[in-house]
Amino acid sequence: MPPPPAERPADPAPDLDVVTPAHNEADNLEPLLAEIHEALQPTGLSYHVIVVDDRSTDDTPRILAQLAATDPTLRPVQVTGTGHGDRGLGPSAALGVGFAAATAPIVASLDADLQNPPQNLPAMIQRLKDERLDLVQGDRSANRRDNLKRRVSSKVGRWFRSTVLGDDTPDSACALRVLSSRAAKAVPLQYKGMHRFMAPWLRKHGYAVANHPTDHRPRTAGVAKFGIWNRALPGLIDLFAVRWMFLRLRPLDAEPIAPAPTGD
């Protein structure tokens, strides 16, 4: 009998995994990958791009399959859990799926809508390394390119986070982040809305977090998934849910009990 076929060796872990949730972002995928490559290739880092299709109803899955056939860095995955109609599971779950698939010691995240320039990533990665941080959180507050209503709602959200959680993160909802692998896997992203609380969650659990100014651009393709009404009230409810978890947080520190000495 012929010998069984040899198993294909697993790909070595890259230096960096870039995780990008995508829900109905077909028109943005090719330019997004081009910008990621332009930003990261000069760094000399090996990297994979994990694009998580969150139950898209447009051509996103087909285009990802086509791009993966010619781009060896692309690792598309698809959310298969039960969602809410055509809305998918949301950015928290999609990030959680991507972070679970990541194998690199450093994980970056950004949205697929091209509003977060990948060109900011190299400086954020270097800062994570130099300062031995667990999270470098993007901060768009000085460069927002959203409409007036979204900018105002973001300022109100920051005031509530500061008041309720004591969180001074200027832009915790910015999708542009760089994390250590252990931090990326420590946030309970299976809970809807937790992507907005990554920075305060990790700080509360003893991880080193810093904010980093980033650029921001207006959306030019696709449709925004969140507006005032489907973000403000759910965000406020999530805020009090996170506060509830913080108030009940207990340390899990322990040390072994040495055996008592025995008599001669």
Side-chain angles (χ1 to χ4, degrees):
M1 293 180 62
E7 291 187 5
R8 181 182 175 182
D11 291 335
D15 300 319
L16 171 72
D17 280 312
V18 180
V19 175
T20 305
H23 177 71
N24 292 347
E25 297 287 0
D27 293 336
N28 289 323
L29 295 173
E30 190 167 356
L32 172 70
L33 286 171
E35 286 198 25
I36 290 174
H37 294 326
E38 181 183 1
L40 293 180
Q41 284 176 354
T43 68
L45 297 171
S46 60
Y47 61 91
H48 290 162
V49 182
I50 303 172
V51 179
V52 182
D53 171 45
D54 185 17
R55 299 170 60 88
S56 295
T57 57
D58 67 354
D59 279 344
T60 293
R62 181 181 63 81
I63 291 174
L64 283 173
Q66 290 178 344
L67 292 171
T70 58
D71 187 339
T73 70
L74 179 59
R75 301 291 192 275
V77 296
Q78 194 168 42
V79 168
T80 57
T82 303
H84 303 279
D86 64 354
R87 291 180 292 168
L89 296 186
S92 291
L95 278 174
V97 167
F99 286 176
T103 59
I106 299 176
V107 182
S109 75
L110 73 163
D111 282 342
D113 57 14
L114 297 178
Q115 291 192 262
N116 307 136
Q119 289 77 13
N120 292 140
L121 286 175
M124 297 172 74
I125 294 166
Q126 196 61 49
R127 187 171 177 190
L128 186 92
K129 293 178 177 180
D130 292 346
E131 300 180 28
R132 298 184 179 182
L133 298 168
D134 291 296
L135 167 63
V136 177
Q137 171 66 50
D139 175 13
R140 307 161 293 176
S141 55
N143 297 299
R144 290 298 294 260
R145 294 298 180 267
D146 288 326
N147 59 43
L148 179 61
K149 287 194 295 185
R150 295 197 68 169
R151 293 199 300 271
V152 169
S153 70
S154 295
K155 287 184 179 180
V156 172
R158 284 198 296 273
W159 183 86
F160 273 107
R161 283 195 301 273
S162 174
T163 302
V164 176
L165 292 183
D167 174 34
D168 63 354
T169 305
D171 191 11
S172 64
C174 179
L176 198 58
R177 305 177 181 93
V178 175
L179 308 90
S180 65
S181 175
R182 70 183 191 114
K185 297 178 190 298
V187 183
L189 290 166
Q190 66 270 34
Y191 293 100
K192 184 178 179 180
M194 279 302 298
H195 66 285
R196 296 190 300 265
F197 300 98
M198 254 192 247
W201 180 271
L202 289 172
R203 277 199 188 96
K204 190 72 173 179
H205 288 78
Y207 292 85
V209 177
N211 303 304
H212 189 88
T214 62
D215 299 314
H216 191 236
R217 300 181 296 203
R219 177 187 274 275
T220 58
V223 178
K225 312 305 186 294
F226 295 97
I228 298 296
W229 299 114
N230 68 348
R231 186 170 63 166
L233 183 57
L236 183 61
I237 294 170
D238 293 343
L239 180 66
F240 283 103
V242 172
R243 177 176 169 80
W244 183 91
M245 287 189 279
F246 282 179
L247 290 174
R248 283 151 180 79
L249 181 66
R250 299 294 182 267
L252 300 180
D253 302 327
E255 59 183 20
I257 299 175
T262 57
D264 294 334

